[in-house]
Amino acid sequence: MDFDQQRYYLDTIEKKHPETVYFHFHDSAHGPNEWSNEKKVITFARALNLLPGISYSQDGRGEPVITYGGTTYRTTDSGVTIDIHEGTRTIDPTTYEVQHNDNFWVRITTKSATATTSGDNTRTGKLVFDVNNRRLNFEGSNYEQAGTEQFQFRDDDNPYTWFNTGEPVTLATALNTIPSIEYSQESKKGHVIQYDAGEKFGGTYRSSTGGTEIIIRQRTADVNPEQYQLRNGDLIWVYVHTDQAPDNEH
């Protein structure tokens, strides 16, 4: 879901709920869905419960229970899975404390959602792409129009959701479909990512360069984009960070 909306901004909700200063969003963030934590260290469970329309708890067995948009999801319900990650690692929101530069991911999958995408030979998943503390938002006509029949983003208010129809494509093919991004590999030297976004964020990043880190994973497993074919439900994580990255204040 997209938190770059007025209803989640601090200046909208703080007067009625002052505690939201502990975890909120605002329109002057460095990138899409970038959160802020001020004044007090809190668990991620409390952070979720500070967001309008969202609640998090655990049942008697310690399994997650999430309510969103009036619907409650439990892993004890048939066909429901709930995955909660910071970066590529699974966390327990009730004990994990929000930290500087954390990247959170909450995914709820239902049996009906899986059936909808698999029946027409369509795979769908998420792509989280961070470059020097800036998360790319794949919402907008330039991303939607650049897609192919095999790999595309859609105008559905889910800026990180991709669709792969027909034959599976490799992750490298998918990345090279995206405007402003080019992916390749240097012989025995690792990943090369070219990101065209101006002087501040753009450039060519090589994992072989000192001070540069490039991580590409499907959930917690490292993958080779030139060999890995996208699968239904994939959570792809591309993380590029250099010594010159601007500080993320949140």
Side-chain angles (χ1 to χ4, degrees), residues 228-247:
Y228 185 81
Q229 291 187 326
L230 296 178
R231 302 174 184 176
N232 193 47
D234 275 355
L235 168 54
I236 303 297
W237 185 277
V238 180
Y239 177 83
V240 181
H241 192 271
T242 72
D243 290 344
Q244 287 73 44
D247 185 40

Side-chain angles (χ1 to χ4, degrees), residues 151-168:
F151 182 84
Q152 59 184 270
F153 295 92
R154 297 177 181 174
D155 183 14
D156 58 1
D157 295 323
N158 292 300
Y160 308 109
T161 300
W162 52 261
F163 296 86
N164 168 212
T165 303
E167 293 298 318

Side-chain angles (χ1 to χ4, degrees), residues 57-65 74-76:
S57 62
Q58 292 184 349
D59 63 18
R61 301 189 306 170
E63 295 295 324
V65 179
R74 300 177 177 86
T75 55
T76 53

Side-chain angles (χ1 to χ4, degrees), residues 47-100:
L48 290 174
N49 286 317
L50 289 173
L51 298 175
I54 297 174
S55 70
Y56 175 88
S57 62
Q58 292 184 349
D59 63 18
R61 301 189 306 170
E63 295 295 324
V65 179
I66 295 178
T67 298
Y68 168 64
T71 301
T72 298
Y73 302 91
R74 300 177 177 86
T75 55
T76 53
D77 295 337
S78 177
V80 175
T81 60
I82 299 176
D83 299 305
I84 303 176
H85 292 79
E86 189 290 307
T88 57
R89 55 179 170 160
T90 301
I91 62 171
D92 178 352
T94 63
T95 59
Y96 186 88
E97 293 184 337
V98 171
Q99 301 176 48
H100 176 71

Side-chain angles (χ1 to χ4, degrees), residues 42 78 114 215:
I42 61 173
S78 177
T114 303
I215 298 173

